[in-house]
Amino acid sequence: ANGNEAISEQGFHYYVPEAFGIVGENIELSEEGRKVRRVEGVSGGVCIGAAPMRRFAGGWYFEVVVEEEMKSARALAVGVLVGKATLEENLHHGRLRAKEAKELQHVWLAGYDKGGALFLSDGKESKIPPATWRPVTDVKVGTRLGIFWAAATPTLVVFQNGEERLRLQAEGHLPQEGEDIFAVVDLQGTTRCVTLVENPTPPTAVLQGAG
């Protein structure tokens, strides 16, 4: 169940609610941790899931909805983090010192903008063709972003409004059996506020293709 499902004494299944936990210095948490908003600047907006991502057949999934935007040449990034042990050295008064999520260890991220979006695969950077997905122009208020980490062949899959936009082969120090996987959203640039979707379900196509 990967840490987010439990069975009560009465035998009922229940889930830990979706929420963010450790966040950057410019982030304000609300709605019991489901909503995150960058209150100043264009960076310092890294947000890490409070509990491991929800496990489905073939992988892990989370979803956010964009609530607020602003004009900027920078863009958000979304992805996953393996384990939280390496975050301890990056904390200051309980907040992440890292200005960007790509400064963290063992993260796989899609987004940002450097003449197009980037894929950060455990420290290795590559470009994403602008026609494929470019959040600085494609992501607006109301946009729903779904992030799926496929287990069989470690792959980061990004959906926008239910449509698959990216399928990126992961490299680096890949998750081992039993390691927890956490949601990561870097609220940078154009995107100022997002809310985690409760009880998200990955699009059917990714479940069929991930097994």
Side-chain angles (χ1 to χ4, degrees):
N2 197 28
N4 53 13
E5 180 184 13
I7 302 174
S8 69
E9 291 178 6
Q10 292 76 30
F12 294 108
H13 286 254
Y14 64 94
Y15 289 91
V16 174
E18 274 75 21
F20 289 107
I22 298 172
V23 295
E25 58 187 12
N26 288 335
I27 290 295
E28 173 185 81
L29 286 155
S30 61
E31 296 185 14
E32 298 180 325
R34 286 179 54 236
K35 179 177 281 191
V36 283
R37 184 175 185 270
R38 195 182 71 247
V39 293
E40 61 180 329
V42 291
S43 60
V46 183
C47 306
I48 311 291
M53 284 168 63
R54 190 167 298 215
R55 181 74 197 256
F56 292 86
W60 294 261
Y61 185 73
F62 78 95
E63 213 170 83
V64 294
V65 175
V66 176
E67 306 281 3
E68 190 179 336
E69 63 182 343
M70 63 176 284
K71 289 189 180 298
S72 176
R74 299 190 188 188
L76 93 167
V78 290
V80 301
L81 163 82
V82 176
K84 281 186 174 177
T86 58
L87 294 180
E88 294 300 322
E89 62 200 40
N90 219 301
L91 293 178
H92 180 66
H93 298 307
R95 294 279 182 147
L96 277 172
R97 279 197 298 249
K99 295 294 184 185
E100 299 181 290
K102 64 183 180 181
E103 298 172 31
L104 304 175
Q105 295 182 53
H106 308 320
V107 291
W108 288 262
L109 300 162
Y112 299 124
D113 200 81
K114 191 189 288 182
L118 302 173
F119 176 41
L120 285 304
S121 187
D122 195 24
K124 183 179 179 182
E125 182 179 303
S126 57
K127 285 190 174 292
I128 295 170
T132 308
W133 188 60
R134 191 175 184 185
V136 75
T137 52
D138 294 353
V139 173
K140 307 290 185 185
V141 170
T143 295
R144 184 179 287 239
L145 294 174
I147 293 80
F148 187 84
W149 178 265
T153 340
T155 306
L156 185 69
V157 187
V158 176
F159 295 87
Q160 182 165 318
N161 299 327
E163 177 189 348
E164 183 178 316
R165 301 297 296 270
L166 297 174
R167 185 174 287 262
L168 303 162
Q169 186 76 43
E171 301 178 45
H173 176 79
L174 297 169
Q176 302 300 303
E177 188 66 36
E179 283 191 290
D180 286 327
I181 298 173
F182 295 87
V184 180
V185 176
D186 191 346
L187 276 186
Q188 189 174 126
T190 55
T191 305
R192 288 191 67 177
C193 178
V194 300
T195 299
L196 276 166
V197 174
E198 291 190 278
N199 304 316
T201 303
T204 308
V206 76
L207 294 179
Q208 293 172 343

